[in-house]
Amino acid sequence: MSELPGIVVNGASGRMGRMLVKLVSESPAARLVGALERPGHDWVGQDVGEAMGGAALGVPVSDDPLEAMAKAQAVIDFTAPAATVALADLAAQARAVHVIGTTGLTDDDITRLAAAARHATIIRAGNMSLGVNLLVQLTRKVAEALDEAFDIEIVETHHKHKVDAPSGTALMLGEAAAEGRGVELDRVADRGRDGITGARTEGHIGFSAIRGGDVVGEHDVIFAGTGERVILRHVATDRAIFARGALKAALWGIGRKPGSYDMMDVLGL
Ligand SMILES: NC(=O)C1=CN([C@@H]2O[C@H](COP(=O)(O)OP(=O)(O)OC[C@H]3O[C@@H](n4cnc5c(N)ncnc54)[C@H](O)[C@@H]3O)[C@@H](O)[C@H]2O)C=CC1
Ligand SMILES: O=C(O)C1=N[C@H](C(=O)O)C[C@H](O)C1
């Protein structure tokens, strides 16, 4: 019988990292073969299962990506922009599929990931859940159907620890709305209104970010017309939805030719 695909989790001690360690180590379709953390993190050197407060999993936490990926077919990475960009070249060297959930990437970071994708299979999405990827498609369709008399506003709510805004998901939804309208998001995005802003510009797409407590992630796309509003909403109540999507992406990517892919490719949407 052939061995199950080996998966490494980057950022193992993080909110998403812990979810992924649990999911992959319990999966009948994959093996956890590595866990990475940043140099100096107190988990480095410990067994990842024990560091999480459970039974040993036989996988030590490492701060050496090439060593951790030596026996891996894929690495799942929900960390921070600088860590993700640095890992992309190493994942390409290790010939491991790189699944990226990290958000807050700059245009320059994305250009660097595109360069790495010439030699590596990279699957990146600001949201790995089935529900949000469906919502992206619905948003594009509604934006196509309703003209600029309907003002588009995207409102997102997340836990108090989130460091980037707008969320990666809000940006995916904004891109889809702009595509539906046949415009470029950069030209119509209104981010961070404050003070005497003047009246709303017709055709613009507004973004608002709420941060507080332990909210996993909520996104509303509001199409506000005169006398009526259409509101598309996704509410995440469990981070497992993102972890499941990421593992699905990793398994889908194994054996694919190098290139940049997203969850629409994985889910066939
Ligand atoms: N695409 C999606 O579906 C989702 C994306 N995210 C994104 O994933 C990222 C992480 O989110 P959380 O887990 O909530 O954050 P977190 O702060 O709990 O975890 C990040 C982890 O990355 C580690 N890290 C930082 N630099 C590193 C390095 N050089 N090497 C290895 N590990 C390193 C940190 O030590 C920490 O453990 C964020 O950008 C977030 O927006 C979160 C949930 C879903
Ligand atoms: O940081 C988070 O938690 C999340 N980040 C992603 C985003 O930026 O959209 C996905 C999800 O909403 C949770």
Side-chain angles (χ1 to χ4, degrees):
M1 198 178 79
S2 64
E3 279 201 324
L4 294 173
I7 311 281
V8 171
V9 173
N10 195 28
S13 84
R15 280 174 287 276
M16 282 305 299
R18 291 169 195 245
M19 267 296 157
L20 284 156
V21 166
K22 183 168 158 31
L23 180 76
V24 176
S25 62
E26 291 172 357
S27 169
R31 281 177 309 138
L32 182 72
V33 296
L36 281 163
E37 254 304 338
R38 60 183 157 72
H41 193 281
D42 60 4
W43 281 26
V44 173
Q46 295 187 53
D47 180 277
V48 69
E50 289 177 342
M52 282 172 51
L57 292 173
V59 176
V61 180
S62 167
D63 60 5
D64 180 343
L66 282 178
E67 178 200 65
M69 291 188 291
K71 290 189 193 133
Q73 278 72 56
V75 56
I76 302 180
D77 177 6
F78 287 68
T79 55
T84 291
V85 170
L87 188 68
D89 288 330
L90 300 175
Q93 268 185 58
R95 306 214 180 290
V97 173
H98 190 181
V99 176
I100 300 174
T102 307
T103 58
L105 297 159
T106 62
D107 288 346
D108 187 47
D109 293 334
I110 291 168
T111 303
R112 290 179 62 187
L113 294 178
R118 289 205 292 267
H119 311 286
T121 303
I122 295 186
I123 305 162
R124 182 175 69 83
N127 195 304
M128 302 267 174
S129 74
L130 172 62
V132 158
N133 283 278
L134 275 174
L135 186 72
V136 166
Q137 303 285 38
L138 293 172
T139 298
R140 187 178 298 109
K141 274 199 184 327
V142 177
E144 238 168 53
L146 299 175
D147 66 17
E148 291 190 352
F150 283 80
D151 299 319
I152 303 178
E153 290 287 319
I154 298 172
V155 182
E156 50 108 339
T157 308
H158 283 88
H159 54 93
K160 63 185 172 190
H161 304 290
K162 186 162 178 62
V163 296
D164 56 308
S167 67
T169 310
L171 292 171
M172 284 168 70
L173 294 165
E175 289 286 357
E179 264 173 51
R181 284 254 165 106
V183 295
E184 272 181 47
L185 182 61
D186 284 351
R187 300 174 68 90
V188 298
D190 274 347
R191 293 164 61 155
R193 298 186 188 108
D194 188 21
I196 309 293
T197 58
R200 194 184 194 289
T201 307
E202 194 170 79
H204 275 201
I205 297 176
F207 290 86
S208 311
I210 298 166
R211 295 287 176 267
D214 59 358
V215 178
V216 174
E218 298 183 5
H219 292 87
D220 281 4
V221 186
I222 303 167
F223 296 82
T226 303
E228 60 182 336
R229 267 174 293 159
V230 177
I231 303 176
L232 304 180
R233 166 173 295 176
H234 182 266
V235 177
T237 54
D238 187 342
R239 286 187 178 83
I241 61 173
F242 312 128
R244 282 199 297 269
L247 177 56
K248 192 180 185 102
L251 298 174
W252 178 89
I254 294 168
R256 300 258 156 203
K257 65 178 196 302
S260 297
Y261 301 91
D262 63 20
M263 280 311 278
M264 299 297 172
D265 300 312
V266 175
L267 297 169
L269 293 174

